[in-house]
C-alpha cells in the first residue's frame, strides 16, 4: 500500500485481485484437505458449537435464533457480529458492576463514532484512511478480528475479554478520524534564499 501511494495513488486491479483471491481460497481448501481441523466446514461447526456453549448464564446473548452450522450461514451474521464485538454490552443489558464498566466503554466508542459520522464528510474519511497504510491496517484488523470475536462468542463476559486486542486500534482509528480534516498543500514554500530575494 505504501509503494502504491509513492507512485501516486492506490489502484486495485480487478484481475490481480481475483487471482489473489482464488489462490488464497485454494490454499485454504488444500490446507483443510491435509489438516481437517483447519477446514472451512470444521471452522463453521466449531463456531456454532462455541455459540451454543456460551448461551448459559445471565450474560448470555444470541445474534439470531437457531444459528446455522454452515460457513455461508455464519458469514450472513458477520455485520451483526462486528457490531456486537465493538459496541455491546448496551447500557440496558447491564447486570453487574463489571458489565456496567464495559457498557460505559462501549457507549463512549459509540458516541465517538456517531460524532464522526455526523460531523465529517464520508468521502474525506475514506480518502484519509486510504492515504495512511497504518489506518488501512487498523480497519482490516478491526473488521476481521471483530467478526471472528462476534461470531465465536455468546457471553458478555468473554466478549469483553476477547475484544481486548481490537480496542487500541479501534480507539486510535476513531481519534484520528475525529480530527478536523486538513487538505494537503502541494504548493512549494520558498526557501530562505528565495524569501530574501522576494523581500529585496
Amino acid at each position: 500500500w505504501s509503494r502504491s501511494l509513492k507512485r501516486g495513488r492506490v489502484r486495485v486491479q480487478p484481475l490481480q485481485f481475483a487471482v489473489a483471491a482464488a489462490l488464497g481460497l485454494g490454499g485454504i481448501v488444500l490446507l483443510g484437505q491435509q489438516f481437517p481441523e483447519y477446514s472451512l466446514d470444521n471452522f463453521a461447526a466449531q463456531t456454532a458449537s462455541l455459540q451454543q456453549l456460551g448461551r448459559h448464564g445471565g450474560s448470555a446473548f444470541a445474534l439470531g435464533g437457531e444459528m446455522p452450522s454452515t460457513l455461508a450461514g455464519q458469514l450472513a451474521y458477520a455485520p451483526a457480529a462486528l457490531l456486537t464485538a465493538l459496541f455491546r454490552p448496551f447500557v440496558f443489558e447491564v447486570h453487574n458492576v463489571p458489565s456496567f464498566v464495559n457498557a460505559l466503554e462501549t457507549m463512549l466508542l459509540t458516541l465517538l463514532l456517531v460524532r464522526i459520522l455526523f460531523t465529517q464528510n464520508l468521502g474525506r474519511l475514506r480518502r484519509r484512511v486510504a492515504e495512511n497504510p497504518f489506518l488501512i491496517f487498523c480497519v482490516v484488523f478491526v473488521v476481521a478480528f471483530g467478526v471472528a470475536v462476534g461470531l465465536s462468542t455468546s457471553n458478555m463476559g468473554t466478549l469483553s475479554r476477547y475484544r481486548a486486542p481490537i480496542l487500541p486500534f479501534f480507539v486510535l482509528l476513531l481519534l484520528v478520524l475525529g480530527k478536523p480534516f486538513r487538505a494537503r498543500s502541494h504548493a512549494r514554500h520558498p526557501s530562505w534564499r528565495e524569501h530574501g530575494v522576494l523581500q529585496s
Side-chain angles (χ1 to χ4, degrees), residues 14 16-17 22 36 55 114 119 129 144 161 174 191:
Q16 294 178 359
F17 184 81
R55 287 190 176 185
V114 170
T119 60
V129 172
R161 294 191 294 272
L174 293 177
S191 64

Side-chain angles (χ1 to χ4, degrees), residues 42-52 67-68 74 148 150-153:
N42 190 52
F43 168 77
Q46 287 183 349
T47 301
S49 176
L50 289 172
Q51 291 163 352
Q52 294 295 330
M67 295 294 291
Q74 289 286 330
L151 285 177
S152 60
T153 311

Side-chain angles (χ1 to χ4, degrees), residues 185-192 194:
S185 176
H186 298 283
R188 187 174 65 90
H189 295 285
S191 64
W192 64 272
E194 292 174 340

Side-chain angles (χ1 to χ4, degrees), residues 150-167:
L151 285 177
S152 60
T153 311
S154 55
N155 183 279
M156 290 297 179
T158 54
L159 174 66
S160 299
R161 294 191 294 272
Y162 287 169
R163 69 157 166 252
I166 309 174
L167 291 180

Side-chain angles (χ1 to χ4, degrees), residues 116-135:
I116 291 171
L117 294 178
F118 278 92
T119 60
Q120 303 285 347
N121 181 276
L122 293 181
R124 289 180 176 177
L125 290 177
R126 182 185 60 82
R127 288 195 300 272
R128 180 182 290 187
V129 172
E131 290 176 354
N132 192 315
F134 183 72
L135 294 184

Side-chain angles (χ1 to χ4, degrees), residues 51-110:
Q51 291 163 352
Q52 294 295 330
L53 185 65
R55 287 190 176 185
H56 305 286
S59 298
F61 67 92
L63 294 178
E66 188 65 26
M67 295 294 291
S69 59
T70 62
L71 181 63
Q74 289 286 330
L75 291 179
Y77 285 89
L82 180 61
L83 293 177
T84 295
L86 296 179
F87 303 113
R88 291 182 73 176
F90 302 123
V91 176
F92 55 83
E93 294 177 317
V94 169
H95 297 288
N96 50 44
V97 175
S99 62
F100 177 72
V101 174
N102 291 331
L104 292 179
E105 176 184 90
T106 54
M107 183 173 65
L108 177 61
L109 296 176
T110 303

